[in-house]
């Protein structure tokens, strides 16, 4: 079913677990992400945003995501990731998205507060929850490139930002980067702990592909309730296509689709289980 409210995220934060948000680009990735959530009996978030729209267009990708979410036996959120465009945010709210992210992280603090507040007012009036970002998460969302973390989130600014905007979830810059970096990436877990002490809403980690599992688990226990993955799924997708095309003589589309779905589903399932923990109350409740 389409999971509308932010309550699943709030419960996740209370229980020290997290819900993954996976970027979807195609029908195959949308199918794989929904099926992984069903197999794990855990909530999952489909992220169909600006970057994915540039491949096949907004309307068809968004409608496919919403349809598969509604048909799914387990809860699936449909989320607009990293939008800087109010017209795009309004279009996705009109389409029926359950949540949107307004990314004002490259603007001044005051501009980010003001625009986020406006998005929150419009979205909440339509029953849609909002993620915002403070501090800047480096790197490119669509392609793995060398990136280094910069401009980390300040706990004091985060507390003021959440208080003034009424936002539902906050993406924090604590050392992760989008894509897969050339250098080993480590999170500033001490900084995360200080942010979590003064901000009680669910915190969001972007750029988690390639992070060490144990580090991720600690971050989740310290307040990260939503974790965005993209690069890991993309690699599984294209790797499966390459292998199948070679095996099938290069013309069996359905075999390639099935292989791609299976490969992405496996990665998504493993991330779902990792973020839920094996013995957490969240897992018990969702089963
Ligand atoms: Zn991001």
């Amino acid at each position: 079913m389409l999971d509308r409210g932010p309550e699943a995220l709030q419960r996740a934060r209370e229980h020290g677990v997290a819900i993954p948000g996976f970027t979807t680009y195609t029908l195959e990735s949308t199918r794989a992400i929904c099926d992984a959530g069903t197999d794990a009996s855990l909530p999952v978030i489909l992220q169909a945003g600006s970057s994915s729209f540039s491949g096949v267009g907004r309307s068809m990708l968004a409608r496919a995501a919403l349809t598969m979410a509604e048909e799914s036996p387990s809860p699936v959120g449909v989320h607009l990731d990293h939008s800087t465009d109010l017209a795009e945010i309004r279009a996705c709210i009109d389409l029926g998205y359950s949540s949107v992210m307004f990314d004002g992280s490259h603007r001044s603090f005051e501009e980010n507060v003001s625009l986020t507040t406006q998005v929150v007012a419009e979205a909440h009036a339509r029953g849609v929850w909002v993620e915002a970002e403070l501090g800047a998460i480096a790197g490119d969302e669509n392609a793995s490139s060398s990136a280094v973390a910069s401009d980390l989130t300040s706990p004091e600014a985060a507390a003021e930002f959440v208080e003034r905007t009424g936002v539902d979830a906050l993406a924090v810059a604590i050392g992760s980067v989008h894509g897969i970096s050339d250098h080993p990436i480590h999170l500033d877990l001490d900084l995360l702990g200080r942010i979590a002490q003064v901000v009680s809403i669910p915190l969001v980690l972007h750029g988690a592909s390639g992070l060490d599992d144990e580090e991720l688990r600690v971050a989740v226990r310290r307040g990260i309730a939503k974790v965005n993955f993209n690069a890991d799924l993309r690699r599984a997708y294209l790797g499966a296509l390459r292998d199948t095309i070679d095996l099938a003589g290069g013309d069996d589309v359905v075999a390639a689709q099935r292989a791609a779905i299976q490969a992405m589903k496996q990665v998504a399932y493993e991330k779902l289980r990792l973020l839920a923990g094996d013995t957490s109350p969240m897992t018990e409740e969702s089963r």
Side-chain angles (χ1 to χ4, degrees):
M1 76 260 353
L2 181 61
D3 191 16
R4 289 221 151 267
E7 292 80 9
L9 276 189
Q10 290 160 351
R11 277 198 304 275
R13 166 131 195 210
E14 283 162 22
H15 290 134
V17 296
I19 299 174
F22 297 108
T23 306
T24 184
Y25 293 88
T26 65
L27 289 179
E28 289 78 7
S29 49
T30 303
R31 173 89 278 153
I33 295 161
C34 288
D35 286 358
T38 301
D39 285 1
S41 300
L42 289 167
V44 66
I45 298 173
L46 272 173
Q47 308 204 139
S50 317
S51 50
S52 338
F53 298 152
S54 60
V56 293
R58 178 200 295 151
S59 166
M60 293 310 293
L61 186 69
R63 284 177 207 278
L66 288 158
T67 300
M68 281 196 214
E70 278 154 15
E71 289 176 356
S72 172
S74 61
V76 180
V78 178
H79 179 78
L80 173 66
D81 192 26
H82 278 291
S83 188
T84 53
D85 178 3
L86 292 185
E88 180 181 62
I89 288 173
R90 290 180 185 126
C92 288
I93 291 174
D94 286 342
L95 279 162
Y97 273 50
S98 45
S99 54
V100 294
M101 176 188 185
F102 172 69
D103 180 357
S105 62
H106 300 290
R107 296 174 177 268
S108 72
F109 181 81
E110 284 303 323
E111 276 182 336
N112 193 358
V113 167
S114 153
L115 286 164
T116 301
T117 305
Q118 187 184 339
V119 170
V120 167
E122 291 187 29
H124 282 185
R126 307 280 301 277
V128 172
W129 63 265
V130 179
E131 175 182 334
E133 178 173 323
L134 193 63
I137 300 154
D140 186 307
E141 282 128 40
N142 291 309
S144 298
S145 58
S146 177
V148 287
S150 59
D151 195 10
L152 302 184
T153 305
S154 123
E156 296 72 26
E160 182 185 343
F161 184 84
V162 168
E163 172 72 27
R164 287 174 63 188
T165 59
V167 76
D168 303 282
L170 184 69
V172 289
I174 53 168
S176 64
V177 299
H178 289 116
I180 290 183
S181 171
D182 291 347
H183 338 275
I185 294 297
H186 290 290
L187 300 177
D188 190 335
L189 294 168
D190 180 60
L191 174 62
L192 172 61
R194 285 186 286 125
I195 296 169
Q197 270 176 1
V198 293
V199 175
S200 60
I201 62 169
L203 301 174
V204 184
L205 181 67
H206 286 231
S209 289
L211 263 186
D212 175 67
D213 284 357
E214 187 47 36
E215 207 165 323
L216 197 52
R217 270 194 287 261
V218 175
V220 168
R221 286 198 292 270
R222 290 195 189 175
I224 295 290
K226 173 173 177 274
V227 180
N228 289 6
F229 295 99
N230 185 347
D232 283 342
L233 228 57
R234 288 200 310 261
R235 290 187 168 190
Y237 193 171
L238 299 180
L241 286 185
R242 265 192 300 271
D243 295 347
T244 319
I245 288 166
D246 288 345
L247 280 176
D251 65 359
D252 190 338
V253 174
V254 174
Q257 285 178 306
R258 285 185 180 150
I261 291 169
Q262 188 53 38
M264 284 185 279
K265 190 169 95 172
Q266 188 59 36
V267 171
Y269 181 83
E270 283 163 14
K271 300 299 184 192
L272 276 153
R273 300 297 309 141
L274 171 70
L275 297 185
D278 284 334
T279 55
S280 65
M282 184 76 190
T283 314
E284 303 288 330
E285 266 173 28
S286 317
R287 277 185 177 276

